[in-house]
Amino acid sequence: MTGRKTVHTDVAIVGGGIVGASAALALRQMGIGVVLLERDLCGSRSSGVNYGGVRRQGRPINQLPLAQRAHRIWGRLRETIGTDGEYLRSGHFKIARSEADMASLERYRAQSRDFDLGLELVSDARLRERCPWLGARAVGGSLCAEDGQANPRLVSPAFALAAQRAGAQIFERHKVDEVAHDGAKFVLRSGNTLEVHAPALLNCAGAWAGPITTEFGEAVPLQSGHPAMAVTEPLPFFMNWSLGVEGGGIYCRQVTRGNLVLGGGGAGVALDADRARSDRDAIASLSAQAIELLPALRHAHFIRTWSGTEGYLPDRQPVLGPSRTTPGLFHGFGFAGAGFQIGPAAGEVLAELVRDGRSSTPIEAFSIERFFPEETTTSPP
Amino acid sequence: MTTTAALQPVIVGAGPAGVRAAQALVVQGLRPVVIDEASRAGGQIYRRPPASLSQRTAAMLYGFEASRANAVHQAFDAMRDRIDYQPDSLVWNAQGGVLDVLHNPTRTTARVPYGQLIVATGATDRVLPVPGWTLPGVYTLGGAQVALKFQGCAIGQRVVFMGTGPLLYLVAYQYAKAGAKVAAVLDTSRLADQLAATPAMLRQPAVFAKGVYYVAWLRAHGVALHSGVRPLRVLGDAQDSRVAGVAWHDGSEERTLACDAVGFGYALRSETQLADLLGCRFEFAPLHRAHLPVRDAAGRSSVRGVYLAGDGAGIMGADAAEWAGERAALALLADRGVAVDTARAAALERKRHKLGGFREGLERAFPLPHDWAAHAPDELVVCRCENITAGTLRQTVAENGADEMNRLKALSRVGMGRCQGRMCGVAAAEILAHATGLPLQQVGRLRGQAPIKPIPIHLAAAPSTEGAGE
Ligand SMILES: Cc1cc2nc3c(=O)[nH]c(=O)nc-3n(C[C@H](O)[C@H](O)[C@H](O)COP(=O)(O)OP(=O)(O)OC[C@H]3O[C@@H](n4cnc5c(N)ncnc54)[C@H](O)[C@@H]3O)c2cc1C
Ligand SMILES: Cc1cc2nc3c(=O)[nH]c(=O)nc-3n(C[C@H](O)[C@H](O)[C@H](O)COP(=O)(O)OP(=O)(O)OC[C@H]3O[C@@H](n4cnc5c(N)ncnc54)[C@H](O)[C@@H]3O)c2cc1C
């Protein structure tokens, strides 16, 4: 006899990353029934291995409403998930390495003026005074004092635990092998052990969301990327800010224990579909840039490197919103290396979509329709 | 022959396994690259002191093992100019058929490509901590022995050796022979364990006899030997700035003894990170209470072109390491299309296989104290890099449901420091298994990542690409 268990619920979620778990939590807060299936452990993939940057600065302007909404959630993190997850509004400083970079930071400040990010441009003498540890390549930068950092290993699993405490049924080590719609509801199967029936389905499967979109006839060009990460031994504490550079390439922050966490690039090596490591050339490039940025690091040691697997769409914007083919199906994936900060807001948006059919935060830019332009133009006005 | 096979074979580790592997390749006219972190070949057991310190004879350094040590050293010295030997060199990363190697004296890192690779990375001490183990003056058994062999100095004037395993009595004997006062040997296994294991141990009568000899010698020289003990703590002096004694439970009561140094350990654990980076498949090996890279009888790993030999693939001791090294080299040669002596290959496999029963005997004689986790107090520091206690680990299990090593690490920071779990991993897994009620096998193992040991950032930044040995 097979011991298959069948569960009926309002909403089924595939994926227990920060997006799926925060959607589960938001749904429970609305009193909606939730079953979440996670192939591995909640928060063990992208959401648990990322750099931990919690920043709004530098995001595409169309992501800022979502980022602002997330900022408010981060602000009451402890009440929401029961832990501070080492979240600190320590400031995020984006470094300019040329006058052109500086001009572009100024432009960003102007473009984002409506969003109350509180960006402050710092250069010349003030730069040297405020950050004597910066290498000579830095000519200035832009500080967002309210942005910050958190420990993803703690935060992301805690969202899932909070959802569970709020009444979500969470099945870890349950891979969804099959999804179908029987005309009335979605049917999810995990091996021979579990079947979930629900009228609504959230596709929060991160880099692995493709099979579900394909199943419902809306395949998108989703690809995997693997940012390289490295961490040093604990060093005397010298830097509060989380650093990024204009134009990208490297970011780094120092945790309270003193370790520096560094990241950058999209050049990890995939071991298989699920796992990745830092690539040696990526580590070499990170190291060179790190020393240039922070010369004091020269004699520090790396104790570990790692990577993760994250979903990217060609325009580096997520897919967030309803399916174009199947009522009751909503997507939230493809956060392109920047979904940790906005993940909790994406979760709330998905919950609103289920309950109200619409989101109170603008998400048109993330519609899956953008990958099907010709069909969109032939539809009646 | 493919172009990768045409590259020189590379051997990591110049212990008994690596040396015999190199020798078998050299005999066939190959010129292997031999990379070893140590400054002189010999590995752990046949470690050679620096040339400037080598006044002591092999007999003084290696005792009964002197002739074997000499044989391995001579085999190495004789082929010295027919191999590309890279001492003082740490393999810190492996990716895509290339090793990253940090040469310590010149502080440079190079890339060494390989087509075929023998991993003979040996072992380190297996540590189950005891309260007070972080006090200055506490060493692992291996560390205590290295101090004696390599630097010619003792860890203290009045030393207690504690734990279990064959090394326990051996190191105590070596210390006493070298003139140090051995205050006591405290063995967690019981006499009854040793008696029950005697038939299996007699499969290697010579080795067994040596063990019996060490014990008898220690006893005859008035060293107190206690078995069936449970270590309670290492006592500090008034300022807790140094070891002042040890406390243990002898089955009926608590006892203490003054000393100024402690050597402790519970046999050995395999160095498996390189095999992990190479993508070798791991399985739980009940005899070793560890997840180990799998290999066939010849030493082939699950990854084509990668061979495993010696203690790095499972603790079998120095003799077995020599056989496994040679056997793996024969497999490598055969895979290159070289005709090898199949009778020799079979004989090597038979010898190693026969040792299996003896190894089981050893485990029965000196079992890891299975109740260690149950007795580890909450305030015991398990991970000293990150200062993580047994209590914190238990709390992480209770509050967050961690039931797997990598999750435990992520949530508690255990194994996240400089040693990356090499020291604390064994103990953390025991605590996790006990706290969850799961079998050890099921709590898994810490995933390996580069660098294998910490490396300076500026070296990671500046690689020089190098053809093997040109
Ligand atoms: C190395 C790295 C660094 C990053 N740095 C930052 C940063 O500093 N700041 C920032 O904002 N963002 C950062 N990101 C991006 C951020 O981590 C991700 O955008 C975010 O975590 C995505 O969350 P998610 O829930 O969509 O995906 P994930 O966390 O990947 O979760 C998806 C989950 O779905 C599960 N799943 C997949 N298929 C199935 C199935 N069939 N059945 C069941 N479960 C399934 C997976 O196991 C996984 O747990 C980084 C990403 C990486 C990889
Ligand atoms: C500290 C210690 C003391 C011991 N004392 C005794 C004893 O007295 N009697 C006894 O019978 N057995 C002893 N043993 C066990 C004995 O050492 C082994 O059974 C035997 O040495 C195994 O041989 P091997 O070639 O497999 O490995 P080893 O002899 O351990 O040699 C492995 C070599 O690989 C090198 N290496 C490892 N990783 C890397 C890397 N990433 N890059 C470069 N080089 C690397 C190491 O530096 C080492 O030189 C001891 C073990 C240890 C750890």
Side-chain angles (χ1 to χ4, degrees), chain B residues 13 15-17 36-37 43-45 89 91 120-123 142 145 167 170 310-311 317-318:
Chain B
D36 193 300
E37 203 187 344
Q44 295 291 6
I45 176 167
S89 296
V91 175
T121 45
Q145 195 190 40
L167 220 48
L170 170 65
D311 276 358

Side-chain angles (χ1 to χ4, degrees), chain B residues 103-193:
Chain B
H103 184 242
N104 245 311
T106 56
R107 310 303 276 166
T108 51
T109 172
R111 293 177 179 179
V112 178
Y114 63 86
Q116 293 170 299
L117 174 67
I118 297 178
V119 178
T121 45
T124 56
D125 290 276
R126 186 159 65 172
V127 175
L128 291 179
V130 58
W133 73 297
T134 51
L135 282 170
V138 182
Y139 291 74
T140 61
L141 287 172
Q145 195 190 40
V146 168
L148 198 62
K149 257 190 230 176
F150 190 70
Q151 281 133 349
C153 59
I155 58 173
Q157 304 292 315
R158 201 183 139 75
V159 188
V160 166
F161 291 101
M162 190 164 80
T164 197
L167 220 48
L168 179 66
Y169 295 96
L170 170 65
V171 179
Y173 165 79
Q174 289 171 333
Y175 262 69
K177 273 284 255 195
K181 166 87 184 142
V182 176
V185 177
L186 306 176
D187 190 341
T188 55
S189 53
R190 300 163 303 146
L191 231 43
D193 297 324

Side-chain angles (χ1 to χ4, degrees), chain A residues 13-21 37-55 59 156 174-177 204-209 211-212 225-229 251 306-312 332-343:
Chain A
I13 302 179
V14 185
I18 196 164
V19 176
L37 289 93
E38 164 57 48
R39 178 178 63 178
D40 193 349
L41 296 175
C42 289
S44 65
R45 299 299 170 150
S46 263
S47 298
V49 301
N50 65 61
Y51 161 76
V54 183
R55 70 168 171 84
R59 286 186 184 273
S156 297
H174 277 77
K175 177 170 190 286
V176 175
D177 300 302
C204 304
W208 306 273
I212 298 178
H226 317 281
M229 296 285 125
Y251 31 95
W306 73 96
S307 182
T309 300
E310 160 76 322
Y312 291 79
F333 63 85
F335 288 85
F340 184 54
Q341 192 271 345
I342 56 176

Side-chain angles (χ1 to χ4, degrees), chain A residues 41-42 153-154 157 161 173 233 257 259 277 279-281 284 287-288 291 298 300-305, chain B residues 95 98 100 111 276-277 386 403 407 409-410 413 416 418 420 447 449-450 454-458 460:
Chain A
L41 296 175
C42 289
R153 300 185 311 269
L154 303 180
L161 264 185
R173 301 190 175 105
E233 64 200 330
R257 265 189 55 72
N259 310 71
R277 287 205 180 115
D279 169 78
R280 66 156 65 78
D281 291 328
S287 308
I291 295 168
R298 192 174 164 74
H301 286 76
F302 275 145
I303 59 175
R304 192 166 169 94
T305 64
Chain B
Q95 182 193 324
V98 178
D100 293 273
R111 293 177 179 179
D276 202 351
L277 288 186
E386 295 290 332
D403 65 355
R407 174 53 59 113
K409 171 179 169 173
R413 297 193 73 91
M416 253 191 216
R418 285 183 65 90
Q420 288 292 309
R447 280 186 292 269
Q449 303 271 11
I455 72 152
I457 291 189
H458 73 278

